[in-house]
Structure formats: structure tokens, C-alpha cells
Amino acid sequence: MDRLKQFFLDFGLFFKGATDYKGRAYELLEAETKNDMDNFILICFSDQLGIPLPISYYTLELLPFLIDEIEDWDKRMDKRKSVWEERWAKYNLDP
Amino acid sequence: MAKIIFYGGKGGVGKTTCSTANSINYANKGLKTLLISTDPAHSISDVLEMKIGKKITKIRENLDGLEIDPEYEAELYINRIRENMRTILSNVIVDEINSQLDAAIVSPGTHESALFDKMAEIIIEKFDVYDIIIFDTAPTGHTLRMLTLPDLLEGWMASLIKKRKSIVNMNKMVKRKYNEKDPVLEILEKRQERFGRIKKIFNDGDNLTIRFVINAEQLPIEETKKAVKMLENFNIPVETLVINRILPEEIDKEFWVKKKKQEQKYMKDIEKEFSGKTLIKIPLLDSDMNKNSIDRLAEYFII
Amino acid sequence: MNSVWLIAFSIIIFIVAYITYGGWLVKKWGIDPTRKTPANTMSDGVDYVPAKAPVLLGHHFASIAGAGPIVGPIVAAMFGWVPVLLWIVVGSVFFGGVHDMGSLFASVRHNGRSIGEVIGETMGEKGKKLFAIFAWLTLILVIAAFTNIVAAAFVSTPEAATSSLLFMVLAVGFGYAVYRRGLSLMLGTIIGVVGLAVCVWIGVLFPLNLSIQAWMIILLGYVFIASITPVWILLQPRDYLNSFLLYAMLAGGIVGLLFLRPEIQLPAFTSFKVGTNYMFPILFITIACGAISGFHSLVGSGTTSKQLDNESDIRLIGYGAMLIEGVLATLAIITAAYLTSTKLADLSTAGGALNVFADGIGTFMSAIGIPFIIAKNFVTLAIAAFALTTLDTATRLGRFILQEFFMVDSQKSDTAKTAVNIMTNKYVSTSVTVVLSGALAFKGYQLIWPIFGSANQLLAALALLSLAVWLKQSGRSYKMAIYPMIFMFAVTLSALVLLIMANLANPVILIFAVILFILAIILIIESQKAFKVKEIQEDIK
């Protein structure tokens, strides 16, 4: 009986995942924003990756305000050589 | 409204002496003058035989002096950032980032940026306080970079601001917070404004003059020629040249005897100061160095 | 025979297969519930976030569901409904399910990295490049095929054309109100859904009649503009509102079907050769996504693998989602199978596969009291909306692939550098994509679809190959991946040969077929090489 209840609960969760209206409404927007943010941080702190830019000195003072966004940024920057597949998945492309 | 004078020239031509002398002249005329050294060697203190520090020091009536220490300025800047962080973030995070900040102090572009930043700060602050601001700059390459930096930085900052604005707009939509101010954007725009002001001051021909010091010798002339051309490409005209160390019209023995005596005194100083080290003595030749005469000089390098 | 039996058949076979074959795969591959997944070890609050299995299944299924599994089976109905149903079922169980589950598993064991990276590791840079090329070609073909499919549907159902245009306006309004101005999502959604109903209703009142060529040009124009505008204006609102359309349609369709219980009228089997189409290989590449689709590996390894909470979910999500899509494909074949051959031919000529599907679901929904014309319009709108969003996304992604592909070789001369800069410019690459797809689109989707199917199957073959190599290298049994892969190669190569011969007079299609053929050969050669690599006994990744 418990198993049946769990099954129906899961069934409901399935539909929740499929419709996920709060998530779906912002999915693509969020993906793009996060991408742009990562790129912005890249320009500001590229000298962390060994690429000094003329404005590196001045972007340092942005550091305290960008701490949240920088978290895990360097981990994400690690596997950036080819991103078209990630974008494909983010955009949910499947005809 | 101050008139800003940059003194440029190859190393060793006597920039420091000339810029100092020029500033004294202005001071004597009754113009409030500020003499600033951006040269890491900071020879102004040596010339005037007084300690001119990181803060504006009075040298004499109408004349103040300042030596910009890039490393000090960079540390000041970074420490300010550290303090800022402590008010916003947990100390734990600040500690974790400390090493990055320390590394930034010794990063390649930092000195130049800190120097430029202090220079910009002084100009903006003291523009209406002094009548004349004279910069004794480092040997030529530095000067050029210093003068073209505002343009470059303004361009970079503009594109950074554009990107940030776009992100802020998108973030507003995602987070559904439409009235939040973005501190990052505010800081960037303040910087941009500062760059803009410096750029304006630099671009106004009446405000800014470059004076080059040269000697009547081949290498300084060549270098200055190139520098003047480059500056003209950036629309910064060089109106005045100071030709230093011109020999007297009538060269008599007494002039050279005096000079030789002085030299001998310094030779003794050298031998005393650097005893125990190998000293190679090379004579002053009567003609310029070129591909033929350099061989004559080579003979002196016996080790 | 009653059509409900077909659905029952699919569902029962799928449940049995899930338990038996799916369970067998779990054992053979050593799927380990005690092993931590990347979502937990590399959690970053952004991409790597563990999600509950049913929710993830829902999300994954929503991502892989599309118009492909609907169009394919209906076009393949020319061979009779039995071959189609058989391939849908057998294909999903032994081919598509294995492909999806395998690529998901491989990605999870590679730290959640995408399938391209897995391919890169198992087959080197060449494999990775081939993958990118296949993907790009498939995108062009998708854009071409869908443009034509939607245009054809607009001709047969001009009500849907009006509704679709109104929907675009509604989407823009939604985007502006909710994202830009901060209208509450709940309120916006309610207005949006009501707005959708209004679109459907007004469409029925004011159908818009244009020629198919006119529609294609309009749609290509839409694709160009939509793909260069910021996401919040059109793409995001569309993508969001689409899901309501789709699920309403599916729900209405299935309930209607169960109410109506129409009898099958289409012949069970017509012939092994229909016109110039041989059942082998054409049946398989036509059904394509309905049984196995290369795109699923991209979606699975792109997001799903990074959100998997426990390896025991791999069967549910990888295998399970594909089976659910098989049910969708079965629903599609029913909309063709309950018709007579003549009626099917008429509907197809009038408006293509989409017309058949919409007519069918519309009929089913009318059985539960919804007026036929409204229901049919609604279904056409739903599928067209989905297809149009796909067009937008595909064009954007085509640009990314071009950029990465061309960037790599830009170390050459200055002329090469300028050429690269031009090619990867947003407007140029979008134009290239639109023009190329447009040229294809005008050939008619019947000609394009087999090529698209072939490209898609090759993409799947490549993923299966990579899976097989990885399984072999890590000392696991790999036959369950190799045999499907070989079959895919056999099917695609023979299909491409037939297509080349049939399209000698159609240069645009011919070029695509030839290119794909050459690439397939290269792929087969690469696969030989990949298998010669010795087994790697180190850490079983």
C-alpha cells in the first residue's frame, strides 16, 4: 500500500518535473545570464587565469562585490574549450 | 586651472635637474608649483638634498614636491580593497582571497597602473590648487604609455560597463528585483568618469605640454625624434626641447681642469665605496659611438 | 482491430522491457547505486545540482519530446502500420533505450561531461569533429524540414496560421510584462493560457490563406529575426507557454482516444517496396526519432547527467524516458492507422504529416465534446508552436557550432582570419543557416526527412560507437551497443545510397546526401581504429 502511495507521489513529481513551471519560465534566461556573468568575470579577473589585461588593476576593486558569482567560477572555466553541447542541452533542443 | 608639464627624455640626459630647475623658476615668479617625480629612481630628493616623501612636501616658497611610490600606492589600494571586503564579507572568505590580493600587488601591470592612478588622482585633486604641475617622468617609453593610457582605459571601461549593464538588466528579469542598484556598475561608472576627466585634461592642448630634455648627442636625439613622432600620432604636440649640458662657447683649459679634478674626487669615492670589486675604466671618447668605434671600446673590456 | 490495443501493446512491452532488458543492462554495465554521482561530488549550485528522480525524468522527457516522433511514424505509415509499430517498439527497447541510457551512464561516469567529450576521449579529436559536423548538418536539416512541415500545415489548416501569428504577439507581450516589467508569473501564466485559448478561437474565426511558398518565406524570416533577438523577448516566453499547449494536447488526445476507441482501417502491411522506397532501409530512417535519436545523447549528457542524484536513476531516466517517447510515437501512428489509405493520402497531400496528426487528435478530442475544428486548430497550433521554437533554437545553436568549428583553424593566414571573422559574425552565420535551410525547405519535407533521419541515425551511431569503445576499454560487455550500431550503419549507408540515386536531379539534396555518405564512411573507418585500442584496465571510469 505504501509502495502504491509512493508510486502516485512519484507520478505527480513526474508531471511536476515535466511542467516545472517556475523553472521553465526562466530556464533559458537564467542560462544566458549565467553565461554572460561568467564572461564578465573572465574579463575582470583574467589575470587569475594568467591573462593580464590593462584594466586588471581596476577590476580588482570589484572583487568584494563579485564574490558570490566567482564561487566555482574557476571550476567552470576549467572545461570551456567546447561549449556548444552544453548550450544545446541548456536550450533543450530536440526536434 | 593648472598648466601640466611633462618632462620626458632618455635616461641620464638630466631630466631631473631640468625639471627641478624649471619648477624653481616658476616658483620664483610667484606661481604655485607642484613638482612630482614618477621616476622610480627619485633623484629629485638627491638634487635638492632633502627628503621629499609620499605626501606633498613643501620645498620652498611656492614650491611643493611629491614622490610617487608605485609599490606603496598599490599596497594602499589593495589594502583598501581588503578593508572593503571585511565590511561586506566574512573574514574567512577574506583570508581565502588574501593570497590572490597579495599576488596582485606584484603582478606585472600593477606598478604602472598604480602610478597612473596616483597621477590621475593628483591632477584631478590639485588642478585648481596649483598654477603649475610638473612631472619628472621616467625615461621615454614610460611617458608615452602614461599619456596614452587614459584613452585605452576609457575604451576598455566603456565596453565593461556595457556588458555589466546588460547583465544587470537580465539579472533584474531573472531575480525579479527591479529596483536594486548594482554596486559594481556604480564603481565602474565612477572609474569611467575619472578616466574621462583625465582624458579631457590631457586632450586640451592648453592644459598639457610635453618638454623633452636632450643632449647634443646622437642617441638622445634619435630617441627623442621617435618619441616626438609617436606623441604627434596621438595628437600630443611637443613644443619645447631642453638641450642640456651644452659645452661653453669658449672652451679653455681651466674648464676641463676643474672638471677633471671633480672627476678624480669621485673616482676616489668609487674606489673607496666599491673596493674589492673589479673596476673597468673607460675613457670619454671624442666622437659618437658607431659600428666602427665600438671596437675601440671593446678593447677595454679585458675580462 | 481496435487502436487501443496498439497503445496497450506498446505500454505492456515497454514495461516488460524496462524490467527485464533494462535490468539486464544495469547488471551488465555495473551501474552502482553506492557510487556518488557528479551532482553530489561536484555540486556547484548552478549546473551540478542533484534532482529527485521523478522530477528529473519529467524534465528529461520534456526536453526530448518533440515533433520528430510524430512526423516520422506518420510518414512511414506508407508501409502499413505493423512495420511501423514493430520498429517503434523494438527500436525503442533495443536501440533507442540502450543509446539513451548508455550515453547518460557514460556521461555520469565521465564527471557529467557532455557526449562530445566522451567521444573525444574514446575516439580522439577526429571523432569529436565528426560529431560536431553531424550535429550541424542535422540542425540545417531540422530547420529545413520543420519549416516545410509547418508551412504545409498552415496551408491545410489556415486557422492555425492565424493562431500561430497571434501566439507570437502573445509571447512578446508575456515576455515584456513578466520579465521586463515584473508581472507575477502566476498572473502572467493565467493570462497567457487564457490568451492561448483566445488565439485558438480567433484563428478559427479568421483563417489566413497563403500559398506554401509564401508561408515558408515568412517562416524563414521569422527564424532569422527570432534567433537574433534577446531570449527574454520571444524564445523564453514561447518555450514556456509551449509546454502548456503540449501537455493539454497530449492529455486531450489520450483521453479522447480512450473514449473514441477507433478501429484500425489502414492496411497492416502494404509492401516491402512502396514507390521507390524499400522498407529496408527507408522504414528505419523515416521513423528515426521515434525509435532512436542521436539528439537525446546531447540532452542527456548536457544537463541530465549533471543532475542525477543516484546511479540507480539511470535506468528510469535514460531508458524510461525513451520508452515514454515510444508511447508518443505509438499515438502518432494511431492517428494514421485509424484512417483509410485514401483518407491518409488526402490529408497528407493537403497538409503533410502534421495535418494527419492534428486531424486525428482533433477527432479524438471531439469525442470528449470539444468541437472538431477548434480541437484540430489547437493541436496544429501546439505542434507548430513547438516546431517554431525548435527552429529558433536550432539556428542559434548552428551559430555556436560554426563559431567553434571555425575558430579552431583560424591560426592560418590573414585572409583566413578575415573569412573566419565574417563567418562567425552573428548576422552572417544566421543568414548562412537560414539561406541553406531555406534552399532545402523548398524541396519539400518528404525529400528532406529521409536525409534528416539518416543524419540523426548517424549521430546516434557515433554515440553508440563511443559507448561501445568505452565499455570495451573498461572491460565491460559491449555487444548490446555494437549490434545496434552496426545496424544503424547498415541502415544509413544503404539509405544514403538510395537517396543519392533518387536525387540525382536535386543538387541541393544530393550534396547533403553525398556529404553524409562520405562522413559515414569516415566514421566507419574511425570505428575500426577505435576498437583496436587495447583495453584499459585502470580505474573503471
Side-chain angles (χ1 to χ4, degrees):
Chain A
M1 205 64 249
D2 261 343
R3 288 263 299 256
L4 199 59
K5 215 163 151 204
Q6 183 64 37
F7 177 74
F8 277 114
L9 239 108
D10 287 346
F11 206 64
L13 281 175
F14 166 81
F15 283 104
K16 183 157 175 269
T19 55
D20 184 22
Y21 89 105
K22 273 223 180 72
R24 273 205 90 102
Y26 290 97
E27 206 171 29
L28 302 176
L29 209 51
E30 262 190 50
E32 278 224 0
T33 312
K34 291 205 173 103
N35 265 334
D36 283 359
M37 184 62 91
D38 274 350
N39 291 339
F40 179 79
I41 295 180
L42 180 62
I43 301 180
C44 288
F45 302 112
S46 58
D47 56 339
Q48 295 291 342
L49 295 179
I51 313 166
L53 295 176
I55 44 161
S56 292
Y57 185 75
Y58 301 100
T59 53
L60 265 178
E61 64 180 344
L62 303 174
L63 191 57
F65 304 95
L66 292 174
I67 280 287
D68 294 324
E69 277 97 3
I70 291 186
E71 208 179 316
D72 294 327
W73 168 79
D74 43 351
K75 268 195 236 150
R76 288 199 293 279
M77 285 300 115
D78 193 23
K79 299 270 182 272
R80 294 323 235 145
K81 192 64 182 71
S82 171
V83 298
W84 68 266
E85 296 153 61
E86 272 176 46
R87 302 259 168 123
W88 187 301
K90 283 256 156 65
Y91 279 113
N92 287 324
L93 178 60
D94 187 22
Chain B
M1 283 257 288
K3 186 161 165 173
I4 304 174
I5 303 173
F6 275 89
Y7 260 90
K10 187 169 161 34
V13 293
K15 258 189 324 28
T16 312
T17 334
C18 293
S19 59
T20 313
N22 200 171
S23 55
I24 291 178
N25 180 293
Y26 282 121
N28 290 343
K29 283 210 193 89
L31 297 164
K32 276 197 81 171
T33 313
L34 175 61
L35 175 63
I36 305 177
S37 165
T38 63
D39 190 337
H42 287 321
S43 321
I44 293 186
S45 296
D46 297 331
V47 167
L48 294 169
E49 285 174 48
M50 65 184 287
K51 184 73 185 104
I52 302 195
K54 306 182 176 72
K55 300 253 158 49
I56 296 185
T57 322
K58 179 163 173 172
I59 300 175
R60 50 170 85 175
E61 187 71 36
N62 282 329
L63 180 59
D64 294 335
L66 174 69
E67 274 174 3
I68 302 182
D69 180 351
E71 189 164 324
Y72 171 74
E73 298 299 329
E75 257 190 73
L76 214 61
Y77 176 63
I78 305 271
N79 285 333
R80 220 180 329 121
I81 296 178
R82 251 191 276 260
E83 277 320 298
N84 224 356
M85 291 218 287
R86 278 189 217 279
T87 61
I88 303 176
L89 307 164
S90 133
N91 274 335
V92 177
I93 301 182
V94 178
D95 274 333
E96 286 168 6
I97 310 202
N98 254 338
S99 51
Q100 260 119 317
L101 289 177
D102 289 331
I105 299 183
V106 294
S107 165
T110 308
H111 268 208
E112 195 173 278
S113 300
L115 181 58
F116 173 79
D117 215 32
K118 183 70 182 177
M119 209 176 76
E121 182 192 300
I122 292 286
I123 291 179
I124 293 177
E125 261 178 45
K126 306 295 178 190
F127 197 55
D128 294 318
V129 173
Y130 290 93
D131 300 311
I132 307 275
I133 302 178
I134 296 190
F135 281 94
D136 166 26
T137 64
T140 331
H142 250 73
T143 317
L144 294 172
R145 213 150 40 240
M146 203 63 63
L147 293 170
T148 55
L149 220 42
D151 244 318
L152 179 69
L153 291 172
E154 211 205 16
W156 269 95
M157 198 51 86
S159 85
L160 208 61
I161 289 178
K162 187 162 163 224
K163 273 199 159 59
R164 185 68 191 179
K165 276 197 175 135
S166 147
I167 292 176
V168 167
N169 281 333
M170 289 215 281
N171 230 3
K172 279 189 180 156
M173 292 193 252
V174 170
K175 296 224 164 75
R176 304 182 63 79
K177 291 201 190 126
Y178 293 89
N179 290 315
E180 258 185 15
K181 286 192 155 286
D182 181 40
V184 173
L185 195 54
E186 286 185 354
I187 295 177
L188 288 176
E189 282 176 333
K190 244 194 258 168
R191 275 279 167 209
Q192 177 72 315
E193 198 225 354
R194 201 202 263 165
F195 291 155
R197 282 218 266 167
I198 283 290
K199 191 173 149 195
K200 199 152 153 264
I201 293 176
F202 278 14
N203 282 342
D204 190 337
D206 287 337
N207 290 337
L208 185 68
T209 332
I210 317 265
R211 292 187 182 155
F212 267 93
V213 181
I214 66 176
N215 296 150
E217 281 172 25
Q218 185 197 21
L219 290 174
I221 294 177
E222 287 305 312
E223 195 170 305
T224 309
K225 255 166 60 182
K226 287 185 212 149
V228 170
K229 192 129 177 245
M230 206 180 295
L231 284 169
E232 269 162 17
N233 281 339
F234 281 94
N235 286 325
I236 303 176
V238 177
E239 291 161 347
T240 314
L241 290 174
V242 177
I243 313 171
N244 194 18
R245 303 205 186 110
I246 301 179
L247 298 167
E249 285 300 326
E250 315 248 314
I251 306 188
D252 62 359
K253 207 160 162 241
E254 205 184 301
F255 178 80
W256 290 115
V257 167
K258 247 191 175 160
K259 268 208 131 358
K260 187 67 185 176
K261 267 221 187 91
Q262 200 179 48
E263 188 187 85
Q264 279 166 336
K265 177 166 109 41
Y266 282 124
M267 284 295 262
K268 283 213 183 65
D269 281 346
I270 293 176
E271 274 154 19
K272 195 170 98 186
E273 184 71 42
F274 300 106
S275 70
K277 300 197 194 295
T278 311
L279 299 173
I280 299 180
K281 298 178 186 163
I282 307 204
L284 180 66
L285 298 174
D286 56 5
S287 56
D288 276 331
M289 265 307 108
N290 56 35
K291 62 179 194 279
N292 299 316
S293 52
I294 195 90
D295 287 294
R296 278 173 65 192
L297 215 57
E299 293 167 24
Y300 287 88
F301 286 84
I302 48 174
I303 53 155
Chain C
M1 161 162 267
N2 195 286
S3 52
V4 179
W5 286 119
L6 270 58
I7 286 274
F9 177 70
S10 295
I11 294 180
I12 292 172
I13 300 281
F14 287 155
I15 292 178
V16 171
Y18 179 83
I19 298 173
T20 54
Y21 195 60
W24 183 76
L25 287 174
V26 168
K27 227 177 32 189
K28 279 287 169 181
W29 286 348
I31 292 183
D32 183 4
T34 62
R35 194 184 155 111
K36 281 196 157 33
T37 59
N40 290 303
T41 58
M42 297 167 56
S43 186
D44 71 355
V46 176
D47 299 314
Y48 289 82
V49 183
K52 282 227 265 283
V55 178
L56 195 55
L57 174 62
H59 199 264
H60 182 80
F61 174 68
S63 301
I64 64 174
I70 292 175
V71 173
I74 293 179
V75 175
M78 66 174 120
F79 294 109
W81 61 266
V82 168
V84 175
L85 182 64
L86 280 179
W87 177 235
I88 290 174
V89 170
V90 170
S92 302
V93 169
F94 292 106
F95 292 73
V98 174
H99 166 274
D100 285 17
M101 183 173 164
S103 40
L104 182 59
F105 179 48
S107 173
V108 167
R109 287 294 175 98
H110 280 77
N111 285 325
R113 288 182 4 234
S114 61
I115 191 71
E117 304 230 22
V118 177
I119 292 176
E121 277 200 22
T122 50
M123 294 170 53
E125 274 309 299
K126 245 203 190 136
K128 215 168 162 192
K129 278 215 172 86
L130 271 175
F131 191 66
I133 298 177
F134 279 134
W136 187 77
L137 286 171
T138 348
L139 283 180
I140 301 285
L141 291 162
V142 159
I143 297 173
F146 277 21
T147 305
N148 188 275
I149 289 173
V150 173
F154 280 1
V155 167
S156 69
T157 318
E159 297 83 2
T162 317
S163 301
S164 295
L165 289 173
L166 288 173
F167 178 40
M168 274 185 228
V169 174
L170 177 68
V172 172
F174 180 94
Y176 183 74
V178 172
Y179 301 125
R180 192 56 173 213
R181 288 279 148 186
L183 179 68
S184 101
L185 183 61
M186 175 70 82
L187 195 55
T189 308
I190 294 175
I191 297 179
V193 170
V194 169
L196 280 172
V198 170
C199 288
V200 173
W201 180 62
I202 296 185
V204 173
L205 293 179
F206 300 102
L208 188 55
N209 280 297
L210 291 174
S211 72
I212 192 169
Q213 287 85 352
W215 279 124
M216 285 207 276
I217 298 190
I218 293 176
L219 288 176
L220 289 169
Y222 155 79
V223 166
F224 185 87
I225 296 175
S227 66
I228 57 179
T229 39
V231 287
W232 64 270
I233 294 179
L234 195 54
L235 184 58
Q236 174 72 89
R238 286 191 68 103
D239 191 57
Y240 176 58
L241 292 172
N242 273 354
S243 44
F244 293 98
L245 280 173
L246 208 61
Y247 296 123
M249 179 210 75
L250 280 176
I254 294 187
V255 171
L257 172 68
L258 294 174
F259 256 73
L260 189 64
R261 293 185 297 273
E263 287 293 320
I264 304 284
Q265 293 184 77
L266 201 67
F269 170 79
T270 53
S271 147
F272 281 106
K273 178 168 184 230
V274 175
T276 49
N277 294 314
Y278 291 87
M279 189 183 291
F280 180 98
I282 301 294
L283 174 74
F284 305 94
I285 55 154
T286 306
I287 295 180
C289 331
I292 167 173
S293 169
F295 290 136
H296 296 186
S297 62
L298 278 162
V299 173
S301 61
T303 43
T304 312
S305 62
K306 298 177 173 73
Q307 298 179 342
L308 206 76
D309 191 20
N310 188 298
E311 288 203 0
S312 59
D313 301 337
I314 291 179
R315 171 167 57 147
L316 176 66
I317 296 171
Y319 202 65
M322 183 64 217
L323 297 182
I324 300 177
E325 182 150 297
V327 176
L328 175 62
T330 310
L331 185 63
I333 188 60
I334 291 179
T335 60
Y338 89 104
L339 301 166
T340 59
S341 315
T342 348
K343 188 82 198 305
L344 175 60
D346 287 340
L347 284 174
S348 296
T349 326
L354 190 39
N355 191 23
V356 174
F357 185 73
D359 198 274
I361 302 285
T363 313
F364 301 165
M365 283 172 83
S366 65
I368 48 177
I370 301 172
F372 173 72
I373 187 63
I374 290 192
K376 180 168 180 186
N377 186 21
F378 171 68
V379 175
T380 313
L381 172 65
I383 308 294
F386 205 98
L388 288 173
T389 312
T390 305
L391 290 182
D392 186 341
T393 323
T395 314
R396 287 175 198 252
L397 283 162
R399 185 174 96 231
F400 293 144
I401 301 180
L402 269 183
Q403 272 179 306
E404 285 196 9
F405 207 75
F406 279 107
M407 283 315 203
V408 177
D409 297 305
S410 75
Q411 300 307 318
K412 313 260 172 89
S413 68
D414 266 341
T415 27
K417 281 211 187 99
T418 341
V420 169
N421 280 330
I422 295 177
M423 271 311 287
T424 54
N425 166 275
K426 185 158 84 166
Y427 299 98
V428 171
S429 66
T430 311
S431 310
V432 165
T433 313
V434 169
V435 165
L436 207 52
S437 323
L440 266 181
F442 279 92
K443 297 291 167 199
Y445 81 94
Q446 293 90 339
L447 286 182
I448 307 167
W449 192 261
I451 315 260
F452 160 69
S454 310
N456 187 342
Q457 307 291 271
L458 280 172
L459 206 58
L462 180 40
L464 278 170
L465 170 60
S466 163
L467 173 65
V469 170
W470 173 62
L471 287 170
K472 176 169 189 247
Q473 280 177 351
S474 50
R476 295 179 173 92
S477 133
Y478 58 95
K479 289 208 191 84
M480 73 288 277
I482 276 289
Y483 293 147
M485 179 198 88
I486 296 177
F487 186 73
M488 285 292 110
F489 277 140
V491 158
T492 351
L493 281 176
S494 37
L496 284 169
V497 167
L498 286 176
L499 288 168
I500 289 175
M501 295 197 315
N503 282 292
L504 291 170
N506 276 314
V508 184
I509 306 231
L510 186 62
I511 295 177
F512 269 89
V514 169
I515 293 178
L516 280 170
F517 186 78
I518 297 174
L519 289 174
I521 301 287
I522 296 178
L523 179 55
I524 293 178
I525 299 176
E526 285 301 309
S527 65
Q528 300 282 51
K529 281 198 226 149
F531 268 100
K532 295 240 165 56
V533 176
K534 288 233 184 84
E535 291 185 15
I536 300 173
Q537 293 290 12
E538 28 140 334
D539 59 307
I540 294 191
K541 288 205 265 185

